[in-house]
């Protein structure tokens, strides 16, 4: 996917976007060199350091972007994201708040219990996660907005609700049950 530098979010997973944002705020990236529109960065991860190489065309298109980390779950990794923020910041055109609800790469919701690309740390967090407790912190409107957003990405919940609705409709037609 070819995207313009300020719109890199279109090719970044939401979770990765926010992690990259945190990396930027923690100043984990260091520009090693920059010439002929090619930027080389060293970005400090949780354990290792990775090298990010980015080439941006005159018209802002990201021509080439790579990182030496093992991430391969679709779109750019958090190290590249931290570097993009740094480039934009140095050019005096970074408005972080514009990325707060930015459009991101479509999430995959595989049926597998642990989505591909999740780290061991994420999996440990997942086991501690109490979904009912978390859901109780939302208002009905917030929950509905979340569900509708999810249904736009994945038909499964929509079809499940539709099925439930159809069953209820059928039940209402049966006099013996009313
Ligand atoms: Zn990376």
């Amino acid at each position: 996917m070819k995207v313009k530098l300020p719109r890199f979010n279109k090719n970044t997973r939401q979770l990765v976007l926010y992690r990259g944002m945190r990396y930027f705020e923690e100043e984990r990236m260091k520009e090693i060199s920059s010439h002929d529109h090619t930027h080389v960065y060293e970005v400090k991860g949780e354990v290792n350091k990775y090298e990010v190489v980015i080439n941006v065309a005159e018209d802002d298109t990201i021509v080439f972007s790579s990182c030496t980390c093992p991430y391969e779950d679709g779109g750019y990794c958090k190290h590249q994201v931290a570097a993009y923020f740094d480039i934009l910041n140095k050019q005096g055109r970074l408005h972080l708040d514009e990325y707060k609800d930015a459009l991101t790469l479509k999430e995959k919701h595989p049926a597998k219990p642990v989505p591909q690309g999740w780290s061991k740390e994420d999996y440990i967090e997942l086991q501690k996660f109490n979904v009912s407790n978390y859901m109780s912190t939302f208002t009905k409107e917030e929950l509905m907005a979340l569900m509708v957003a999810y249904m736009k990405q994945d038909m499964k919940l929509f079809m499940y609700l539709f099925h439930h609705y159809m069953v209820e409709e059928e039940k209402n037609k049966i006099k013996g049950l009313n």
Side-chain angles (χ1 to χ4, degrees):
M1 190 194 283
K2 282 264 181 288
V3 292
K4 305 272 184 186
L5 180 61
R7 294 277 72 87
F8 71 85
N9 49 284
K10 288 184 184 172
N11 190 34
T12 308
R13 286 182 60 225
Q14 196 177 35
L15 188 61
V16 174
L17 175 69
Y18 295 131
R19 282 178 177 166
M21 204 180 281
R22 173 169 61 83
Y23 272 29
F24 169 73
E25 288 185 336
E26 291 172 356
E27 295 175 31
R28 286 169 177 260
M29 62 284 145
K30 196 171 87 190
E31 192 162 35
I32 304 298
S33 71
S34 170
H35 51 81
D36 294 335
H37 304 282
T38 301
H39 307 262
V40 179
Y41 275 88
E42 188 182 80
V43 183
K44 235 163 72 192
E46 301 306 320
V47 182
N48 299 310
K49 280 180 181 170
Y50 300 105
E51 192 179 83
V52 172
V53 180
I54 301 159
N55 180 275
V56 184
E58 204 73 67
D59 73 348
D60 243 1
T61 302
I62 298 173
V63 179
F64 178 83
S65 187
S66 78
C67 179
T68 52
C69 82
Y71 177 82
E72 49 180 30
D73 200 31
Y76 304 122
C77 68
K78 57 193 172 188
H79 314 106
Q80 292 169 85
V81 170
Y84 299 151
F85 279 137
D86 193 62
I87 295 169
L88 290 166
N89 190 41
K90 281 177 174 159
Q91 293 170 349
R93 52 181 182 142
L94 177 63
H95 309 282
L96 261 194
D97 55 325
E98 281 177 11
Y99 294 89
K100 219 168 70 187
D101 302 302
L103 189 75
T104 49
L105 202 61
K106 197 177 149 182
E107 297 289 329
K108 285 175 277 177
H109 292 282
K112 279 187 275 177
V114 181
Q116 201 186 2
W118 278 44
S119 67
K120 221 181 203 167
E121 287 76 14
D122 288 335
Y123 185 57
I124 291 163
E125 280 300 310
L126 180 74
Q127 288 169 320
K128 291 188 283 186
F129 184 59
N130 185 318
V131 70
S132 302
N133 281 355
Y134 185 57
M135 281 174 84
S136 69
T137 66
F138 291 94
T139 64
K140 187 185 171 187
E141 285 69 29
E142 287 170 336
L143 271 183
M144 281 178 65
L146 268 180
M147 286 173 79
V148 170
Y150 174 75
M151 282 185 261
K152 283 178 181 166
Q153 298 183 358
D154 190 318
M155 290 288 286
K156 265 180 279 182
L157 179 58
F158 175 79
M159 293 308 291
Y160 179 81
L161 281 175
F162 180 65
H163 174 77
H164 187 79
Y165 163 78
M166 293 299 279
V167 169
E168 289 298 306
E169 285 285 287
E170 281 306 312
K171 261 160 83 180
N172 289 335
K173 286 178 193 166
I174 302 164
K175 285 191 178 72
L177 294 176
N178 292 287

